[in-house]
Amino acid sequence: MKLTYLSHMGFLLDFHGTQLLFDPFITGNPKATTLNPDDLNPDYILVSHGHGDHVADVESIAKRTGKTIISNYEIVQWYGAKDLKGHPMNHGGKWQFDFGYVKYVNAIHTSGLPDGSYGGNPGGFVVWNEDSCFYFAGDTALTKDMELIPMTCPKLDFAVLPIGDNFTMGYEDAVIAAKMIECDTIIGCHYDTFPYIEIDTSKAIQAFKNAGKKLLLPKIGETITL
Ligand code: NI
Ligand code: MN
């Protein structure tokens, strides 16, 4: 699997040949100036919640590509009113897509949409097929619900966790999250985009190392192989 970091919580994952785009935020992102949302050609667009720093480029990419938005019911309805295709989910439910299973799992956060519409409750995604499984947490606090993931999903190969603090858990709590989800390879995100979420990345890397885990922090636009 190849994972390209698009800054903040935006990722493009080549999942065994299917391009999955998560939470694209390039337009208006002060750190993503070298990227262009028009270059992204996903097969599916997964949206964790309604905040502007997660949905900024969803509409333009979905309109241009005609591809399906996977998110919670309210967000899919909101895009549906704009004639965009979606697959609605809600917490605890899974669905088998052509590339594998997606389960929409709990997150502790909020989810208002950019125009003030109700965005349902925020979530994360666990995605798997017979070969691989990963967890994309979305914006969330540390929550005991994370312990349900290893109980109900295949063994995780990696997880994408927020580490920037203030709006989500910080890296200290993300280390505990990594233990709860029983995962040793973590990709950190949702940090350093704005002053509120600036962190000392060397301390974050050390905190994971101390727990016997690996924190990967790809550069913006960098593609890593997992
Ligand atoms: Ni948010
Ligand atoms: Mn956010």
Side-chain angles (χ1 to χ4, degrees):
M1 285 176 289
K2 285 189 190 314
L3 183 78
T4 304
Y5 183 45
L6 304 173
S7 174
H8 204 55
M9 203 167 261
F11 288 90
L12 185 70
L13 177 70
D14 182 335
F15 186 72
H16 304 279
T18 300
Q19 307 299 316
L20 305 179
L21 176 64
F22 292 87
D23 288 5
F25 172 41
I26 295 170
T27 303
N29 179 337
K31 295 293 166 77
T33 51
T34 58
L35 303 175
N36 184 345
D38 294 339
D39 295 336
L40 299 172
N41 290 294
D43 296 306
Y44 292 88
I45 306 163
L46 292 86
V47 180
S48 65
H49 67 292
H51 288 161
D53 59 323
H54 298 256
V55 305
D57 296 304
V58 170
E59 187 170 333
S60 71
I61 295 168
K63 203 169 273 176
R64 175 171 52 80
T65 61
K67 295 299 163 67
T68 298
I69 298 164
I70 303 171
S71 191
N72 71 29
Y73 178 80
E74 288 79 6
I75 290 172
V76 166
Q77 288 286 109
W78 191 71
Y79 283 115
K82 299 170 186 280
D83 283 331
L84 298 174
K85 221 160 65 182
H87 179 103
M89 301 189 75
N90 219 324
H91 301 84
K94 69 176 181 300
W95 181 261
Q96 187 174 18
F97 292 86
D98 55 3
F99 60 88
Y101 285 95
V102 175
K103 184 169 185 175
Y104 193 62
V105 297
N106 294 350
I108 303 287
H109 194 67
T110 55
S111 181
L113 284 153
D115 67 352
S117 297
Y118 175 58
N121 285 319
F125 299 99
V126 183
V127 178
W128 71 89
N129 66 9
E130 61 273 12
D131 297 320
S132 319
C133 180
F134 69 93
Y135 169 43
F136 177 90
D139 284 4
T140 184
L142 178 64
T143 164
K144 288 281 274 181
D145 286 347
M146 289 169 175
E147 291 178 355
L148 298 173
I149 290 174
M151 292 169 65
T152 58
C153 299
K155 168 95 183 114
L156 294 172
D157 295 296
F158 68 92
V160 176
L161 301 180
I163 59 169
D165 228 322
N166 191 73
F167 295 119
T168 66
M169 60 185 172
Y171 64 81
E172 302 93 335
D173 284 3
V175 169
I176 300 169
K179 291 177 186 167
M180 283 183 176
I181 61 176
E182 299 173 10
C183 184
D184 292 334
T185 303
I186 304 298
I187 293 106
C189 62
H190 213 275
Y191 69 96
D192 281 3
T193 319
F194 312 112
Y196 281 132
I197 57 174
E198 278 171 9
I199 63 163
D200 184 332
T201 51
S202 59
K203 282 188 182 160
I205 290 166
Q206 190 59 47
F208 277 85
K209 200 180 270 180
N210 292 346
K213 298 188 183 287
K214 193 161 52 175
L215 177 67
L216 303 176
L217 300 176
K219 294 185 181 60
I220 294 166
E222 185 183 353
T223 300
I224 58 172
T225 301
L226 291 154

